[in-house]
Amino acid sequence: MGKKFYVTTPIYYPSGKFHIGTAYTEVLADAIKRYKTLRGYDTFLLTGLDEHGQKIQTVAEKTGETPQEYVDEMARLAKELWKEMDIKYDFFLRTTDDFHEKAVQKIFEYFLEKGDIYKGEYEGWYCMPCETYFTKTQLVDGKCPDCGREVKLLKEEAYFFNMKKYADKLVKFYDENPDFVEPAYRKNEMINNFIKPGLEDLCVTRTSFDWGIKVPNDPKHVIYVWLDALTNYLTALGYMQEDDKLFKKYWPADVQIVGKDIARFHLIYWPIFLMALNLPLPKKFIVHNWIVMKDGKMSKSVGNVVYPEKLINRYGLDATKYYLLRVMPISQDAVYTPEDFIERYNSDLCNDLGNLVNRTISMVNKYFQGNVPEYNGTPNDADKELEEFTNNKLEEVENLIEKYQMSNALQELWTVIARTNKYIDETRPWELSKNDEIEKLKSSIYHLIENIRKIAIFLLPFMENTAKDILRQIGIPENLQTWDSLKEYDKLNCIKVIEKGEPIFMRKNIEEELEYLKN
Ligand code: MSP
């Protein structure tokens, strides 16, 4: 059996159009999936929508639709966006899917039978937008500690999950698995802020609205949206269903990606639910920070939201993906500015990458009628230095990708691009040609094409169209486009580049673009 790799994104609330922050999570997961697929894994990427709960019911009421009509339309739009962004997901789960609802009810009943869920009465401070109850001590200045909005004191008959029972087991798990969460400081945050002060039992039902999965045999209660939503990572694979072969194959998840705001749900409640189900825990969590604006959070009410379509329509999908992955090191917030976007577009993509490809293709045409000279097997000093630099750096880039540090990986990959550009300036092929130093010229052109081939292969998980376009323009056959072929060095025989290089990114006028981006 081949190696399997299961990666998940959160299932999104369809409370509005997706912005570049939401798109970031999906693009990151997609890059990971593509990389693992290139490395020979049998991969599965799960995404979807979290369609129940008070928040969705309220939004739907405003549009004059039933919640079901509303989420149906939002699911259509989400799928349309992921298609436009060429996200290679394997399954799109909707929490209103019948199979999911039935499996969640079974999980609830199982917890009830086991005594992990019990019936009681709840009084607490409820934040409606966050759909979360807080104790008085958790409030900050009497407001929601997560979003800062007003909270209401509510009392209701409810079911509870016995979190306390699992607290010690969870701490032990964290101690024994230091690599469970990336970045590591998130783990300490969870332990110090939530577990050490004492885990409260979690209220897992609601009676104040009905847009949710009904508690079996007690239908005035609906199941808390987070219990419903978190289990999607299992139900999507057939867990608690007749056909569970995907579950048997892919669980536990190899990596689960979540934003910092939902770390608590995924790093405390989710592992505890899994322990209660006697299931293995995911191998790793990536908790990423946020893409923010200069004036703070992206928000519709402030009117500073950036939608991915705005960038894709004008700069293309690959430039948009590159920007999102490059700008955000997982452990810090990244500030989006139109200036930064254009600067990266012009400098990283047009100047560094685009020019390298273009200049090289024109030299192959000029000096060798488009035929890449064969490798003579004896690199001179300059060639050797380039080879060593490239091999060491690419190893470093691969290690960073393995750690899911895509921003750093791209940054380091760009040092290979810069070094290769510098190699052209140093070896000065035009002078080698004039002085009839033909062997040196051949070697220099061979090394350039070889470096571009390797750079393009490393770009495949991030910007597939651009990578493929580069490989096509420099005439690389399919067998030399694979990850394994990175080890090959002297195999570029009979390669012919295209007659005239086609620019992969067109330089933009900064003023004009800022005008476009500011509107
Ligand atoms: N429905 C829940 C997740 C349930 S998973 C069992 C949810 N949905 S959400 O739509 O509000 O957020 C989805 C993801 O988008 C979260 O990981 C969140 O952190 C991420 N982002 C939302 N805004 C973001 C940015 N501005 N930047 C980066 N990620 C952002 O939470």
Side-chain angles (χ1 to χ4, degrees):
M1 206 176 79
K3 305 171 283 184
K4 69 90 187 173
F5 194 88
Y6 180 31
V7 48
T8 70
T9 64
I11 46 173
Y12 304 91
Y13 287 129
S15 50
K17 262 183 82 172
F18 292 166
H19 54 57
I20 54 169
T22 326
Y24 168 79
T25 313
E26 210 55 32
V27 167
L28 174 62
D30 179 64
I32 294 174
K33 164 166 172 130
R34 285 168 185 268
Y35 169 72
K36 286 289 172 183
T37 307
L38 287 166
R39 300 307 310 269
Y41 285 78
D42 180 344
T43 57
F44 196 96
L45 166 57
L46 174 66
T47 189
L49 287 189
D50 187 358
E51 300 181 346
H52 289 127
Q54 174 99 65
K55 199 178 350 185
I56 302 300
Q57 188 167 341
T58 311
V59 180
E61 272 160 16
K62 279 195 197 138
T63 66
E65 290 162 296
T66 64
Q68 191 62 56
E69 284 165 349
Y70 172 79
V71 294
D72 285 350
E73 175 60 7
M74 295 308 281
R76 192 186 66 74
L77 291 175
K79 286 181 184 169
E80 205 173 85
L81 176 64
W82 298 152
K83 188 163 182 215
E84 193 178 340
M85 297 194 72
D86 198 17
I87 302 293
K88 300 266 185 235
Y89 64 80
D90 294 277
F91 191 71
F92 186 101
L93 181 133
R94 301 179 53 189
T95 51
T96 53
D97 284 332
D98 196 41
F99 73 84
H100 172 79
E101 295 193 345
K102 290 200 172 111
V104 172
Q105 286 179 323
K106 282 191 190 162
I107 291 171
F108 192 95
E109 278 182 313
Y110 173 76
F111 287 155
L112 208 54
E113 273 163 30
K114 233 181 128 202
D116 284 341
I117 285 182
Y118 61 92
K119 200 168 183 177
E121 195 175 59
Y122 192 82
E123 186 181 82
W125 298 90
Y126 190 66
C127 172
M128 216 162 82
C130 296
E131 301 189 20
T132 310
Y133 269 110
F134 296 98
T135 59
K136 191 148 195 199
T137 51
Q138 285 174 321
L139 301 180
V140 177
D141 299 331
K143 305 233 165 91
C144 171
D146 286 348
C147 73
R149 282 180 267 208
E150 295 293 333
V151 287
K152 263 200 230 157
L153 186 65
L154 295 182
K155 193 172 180 174
E156 55 179 305
E157 178 194 86
Y159 291 82
F160 289 84
F161 188 96
N162 187 350
M163 289 284 162
K164 288 190 197 97
K165 177 175 159 189
Y166 293 95
D168 289 344
K169 210 173 159 187
L170 184 62
V171 174
K172 188 164 175 272
F173 175 84
Y174 272 115
D175 285 341
E176 287 168 359
N177 295 276
D179 296 331
F180 184 55
V181 184
E182 191 76 45
Y185 72 82
R186 294 281 176 203
K187 162 191 142 180
N188 300 333
E189 243 174 46
M190 294 300 130
I191 294 184
N192 296 336
N193 300 353
F194 300 108
I195 307 180
K196 280 212 180 129
L199 260 193
E200 297 288 327
D201 285 355
L202 179 72
C203 180
V204 287
T205 56
R206 301 287 183 266
T207 49
S208 50
F209 60 90
D210 64 357
W211 178 240
I213 303 175
K214 307 258 179 292
V215 170
N217 305 317
D218 201 355
K220 79 171 194 297
H221 296 268
V222 294
I223 296 174
Y224 177 42
V225 71
W226 275 100
L227 176 56
D228 167 357
L230 286 164
T231 51
N232 93 90
Y233 303 126
L234 302 172
T235 64
L237 300 177
Y239 181 68
M240 292 263 185
Q241 293 151 66
E242 211 169 291
D243 179 1
D244 63 356
K245 57 178 181 302
L246 287 177
F247 174 74
K248 290 197 173 111
K249 176 171 174 185
Y250 287 109
W251 191 260
D254 294 273
V255 62
Q256 299 208 258
I257 304 171
V258 296
K260 61 178 180 179
D261 55 320
I262 56 174
R264 181 160 61 98
F265 300 98
H266 283 86
L267 297 178
I268 297 179
Y269 302 148
W270 177 226
I272 288 180
F273 290 149
L274 287 168
M275 285 173 178
L277 289 167
N278 287 319
L279 290 176
L281 267 49
K283 294 186 192 150
K284 194 168 206 58
F285 267 99
I286 299 177
V287 180
H288 66 72
N289 276 37
W290 273 26
I291 297 187
V292 296
M293 308 301 282
K294 260 202 214 140
D295 48 357
K297 232 170 122 168
M298 255 188 278
S299 120
K300 255 193 259 168
S301 50
V302 181
N304 61 359
V305 179
V306 182
Y307 296 106
E309 293 91 338
K310 175 113 187 164
L311 303 178
I312 296 170
N313 292 345
R314 190 152 173 122
Y315 309 99
L317 177 59
D318 281 4
T320 307
K321 283 186 177 177
Y322 170 76
Y323 176 80
L324 292 177
L325 292 170
R326 175 66 185 82
V327 78
M328 177 126 109
I330 281 164
S331 56
Q332 288 158 33
D333 281 345
V335 180
Y336 164 88
T337 64
E339 290 81 3
D340 187 40
F341 184 86
I342 295 303
E343 164 65 19
R344 288 204 181 280
Y345 183 93
N346 274 345
S347 135
D348 300 4
L349 299 177
C350 300
N351 285 6
D352 299 345
L353 179 62
N355 279 350
L356 173 64
V357 176
N358 229 273
R359 321 209 247 173
T360 303
I361 289 177
S362 67
M363 289 193 288
V364 185
N365 279 311
K366 188 161 175 195
Y367 305 130
F368 299 105
Q369 293 78 47
N371 299 302
V372 177
E374 287 185 14
Y375 186 50
N376 64 12
T378 49
N380 56 40
D381 288 349
D383 302 344
K384 221 188 265 163
E385 205 198 308
L386 181 74
E387 279 180 28
E388 267 170 29
F389 180 91
T390 305
N391 291 340
N392 291 339
K393 261 298 165 204
L394 291 183
E395 206 179 299
E396 210 178 299
V397 177
E398 189 175 307
N399 289 336
L400 289 165
I401 301 177
E402 288 284 346
K403 290 194 227 149
Y404 313 118
Q405 295 185 13
M406 302 314 188
S407 172
N408 294 342
L410 288 170
Q411 188 179 350
E412 293 308 317
L413 182 60
W414 251 253
T415 68
V416 180
I417 297 173
R419 184 67 193 84
T420 315
N421 271 320
K422 193 165 156 233
Y423 170 86
I424 301 183
D425 301 336
E426 283 168 0
T427 50
R428 305 170 81 80
W430 48 94
E431 283 182 3
L432 297 177
S433 153
K434 248 194 259 153
N435 302 339
D436 228 14
E437 293 189 78
I438 195 73
E439 280 312 310
K440 270 195 182 165
L441 180 63
K442 276 184 177 172
S443 181
S444 145
I445 296 293
Y446 186 91
H447 278 83
L448 285 171
I449 291 287
E450 187 53 299
N451 262 33
I452 295 174
R453 178 179 80 95
K454 290 186 175 183
I455 291 162
I457 293 174
F458 267 84
L459 285 176
L460 280 169
F462 307 104
M463 320 162 75
E464 185 180 327
N465 295 333
T466 303
K468 289 232 156 111
D469 191 28
I470 295 173
L471 291 164
R472 175 187 63 82
Q473 292 201 37
I474 61 169
I476 303 296
E478 288 219 341
N479 64 326
L480 292 175
Q481 299 188 6
T482 63
W483 211 270
D484 286 342
S485 75
L486 283 165
K487 292 185 208 99
E488 309 287 1
Y489 204 77
D490 50 3
K491 294 285 184 308
L492 301 184
N493 302 325
C494 311
I495 302 265
K496 199 167 166 58
V497 302
I498 59 168
E499 266 171 45
K500 192 161 174 359
E502 298 153 12
I504 39 181
F505 294 100
M506 294 292 244
R507 208 181 156 72
K508 304 275 183 190
N509 175 294
I510 297 178
E511 303 307 314
E512 271 172 32
E513 300 313 312
L514 291 182
E515 209 36 53
Y516 168 81
L517 286 170
K518 277 178 181 157
N519 289 320

